[in-house]
Amino acid sequence: MLDLQRLRALHAVSVHGTVGAAAAALGYTPSAVSQQIAKLERETRTVLLERAGRGVRLTAEALQLVDTAQELLSIVERAETALEERRGVPAGRLTVAAFASAARGLMPAVLAELARAHPALDARLSEVDPHLSVDLVARGAVDLAVAHDWDIAPLPAPAGVEQAVIGDDLCDLLVPEDHPFAGRTALRREELGGERWICQPPGRICHDWLVRTLRAAGHEPDIVHQAEENPTLVALVAAGLGIALVPRLGRGPLPPGVVEVPLDPTPVRRLYALWRTGAARRPAIAETVRVLRERWPTVTAAHAHPPTVTA
């Protein structure tokens, strides 16, 4: 008989792409995941993983087994949802994926509140880019995702995935204190041509938004520095190396030498909670979404401050 935990390990490798990423998502060590798959290979007398450079590739037999694992895990999820719904209280393990600034600026308070109010609930967080987290929900790799989109780039929800709006995160232009924009009370997007930009790498939602917005205003963006984390973007602005558009969520206090200038209209990214339709009745999902939406006004109030301008 096939072992469900070993099938879960193989399914995680298929979803996340590497043994290490699968281990992180499952809360195991990479060696534990490798051992689970090795045992599955012995039980099935089938090679499931092949070396591909420094990583691994699933064989055709493994991909077929992954389809079976997906079906079995869906059945288990429905059974767990029915039991939790019958008990009427959030319980069991809940895996949550959130993008970086939400993981830093929103999720700690949410997870702490869930832990205090529901000791039987084991909520676990992974930091995942919004481009990936929605697919992870759809494929059953995580139970719930906190993702975002921009006002000109809506976030598509695939079939079988439901979503609820958490709130809107405003974004501001950050410039060095000696920049000509530093004394302005507002800027229009048409005025942003000819600037040296600091931004996230291509493929990130923030990068794509900046490029599309400036091109729509008639400017080709000159992106001179790229970094994954918003604190790094802020540090580069503080060093006088360019300007950046940075959301308020998880940004933290601005360091000396950085001035916040609002844009008109203000760029907005909207935060969503997403979960599979089959798990919609699960009390843990409903409670987590409730806490997310309840906490959001507190988070936005903490970031609602007037821009700092130089004399």
Side-chain angles (χ1 to χ4, degrees), residues 128-139 145 147 155-158 161 274:
V128 179
D129 185 78
H131 280 110
L132 304 176
S133 61
V134 178
D135 184 57
L136 293 180
V137 171
R139 297 172 67 177
L155 178 72
V161 174
L274 301 103

Side-chain angles (χ1 to χ4, degrees), residues 148-155 189 205-217 245 265-270 272:
H148 71 80
D149 64 12
W150 288 83
D151 46 7
I152 64 171
L155 178 72
R189 299 175 185 182
I205 293 178
C206 296
H207 179 282
D208 297 344
W209 183 92
L210 177 66
V211 171
R212 290 176 60 179
T213 298
L214 291 186
R215 286 176 178 170
L245 186 70
T266 302
V268 175
R269 62 177 185 177
R270 176 159 290 179
Y272 299 88

Side-chain angles (χ1 to χ4, degrees), residues 44 90 111 193 211:
T44 59
L111 294 172
V211 171

Side-chain angles (χ1 to χ4, degrees), residues 76-99:
V76 170
E77 179 184 60
R78 290 196 297 270
E80 291 174 341
T81 298
L83 287 173
E84 187 179 331
E85 184 182 21
R86 186 177 181 85
R87 289 192 296 266
V89 295
R93 179 176 294 189
L94 180 77
T95 53
V96 182
F99 61 96

Side-chain angles (χ1 to χ4, degrees), residues 158-283:
V161 174
E162 299 182 24
Q163 65 181 29
V165 175
I166 298 173
D168 290 342
D169 185 22
L170 305 183
C171 306
D172 301 294
L173 185 70
L174 302 185
V175 304
E177 63 181 355
D178 58 354
H179 192 280
F181 290 159
R184 299 284 297 275
T185 57
L187 282 168
R188 297 194 62 82
R189 299 175 185 182
E190 291 77 13
E191 301 178 72
L192 299 177
E195 296 296 327
R196 292 169 63 85
W197 286 93
I198 302 166
C199 187
Q200 291 183 332
R204 299 287 185 166
I205 293 178
C206 296
H207 179 282
D208 297 344
W209 183 92
L210 177 66
V211 171
R212 290 176 60 179
T213 298
L214 291 186
R215 286 176 178 170
H219 308 302
E220 185 63 29
D222 181 15
I223 300 175
V224 295
H225 301 293
Q226 301 178 26
E228 293 279 356
E229 295 289 337
N230 285 338
T232 306
L233 303 181
V234 175
L236 291 168
V237 173
L241 299 174
I243 66 176
L245 186 70
V246 181
R248 295 180 183 178
L249 176 62
R251 189 180 71 192
L254 295 179
V258 178
V259 174
E260 174 186 300
V261 183
L263 289 179
D264 181 20
T266 302
V268 175
R269 62 177 185 177
R270 176 159 290 179
L271 272 66
Y272 299 88
L274 301 103
W275 62 92
R276 288 180 299 285
T277 301
R281 302 189 316 275
R282 187 180 174 190

Side-chain angles (χ1 to χ4, degrees), residues 4-92:
L4 185 60
Q5 288 302 105
R6 292 164 196 166
L7 289 174
R8 191 187 299 274
L10 181 65
H11 178 263
V13 173
S14 171
V15 169
H16 296 281
T18 66
V19 170
L26 294 172
Y28 299 153
T29 63
S31 61
V33 171
S34 296
Q35 290 172 13
Q36 291 280 358
I37 294 177
K39 291 178 180 178
L40 187 59
E41 287 182 324
R42 290 196 296 271
E43 291 173 349
T44 59
R45 300 175 184 176
T46 304
V47 176
L48 301 175
L49 297 182
E50 296 176 335
R51 287 289 176 187
R54 295 185 177 181
V56 294
R57 178 177 57 242
L58 275 69
T59 64
E61 292 79 7
L63 293 174
Q64 182 177 357
L65 202 54
V66 164
D67 291 338
T68 302
Q70 177 70 65
E71 295 177 15
L72 292 174
L73 292 172
S74 297
I75 293 171
V76 170
E77 179 184 60
R78 290 196 297 270
E80 291 174 341
T81 298
L83 287 173
E84 187 179 331
E85 184 182 21
R86 186 177 181 85
R87 289 192 296 266
V89 295

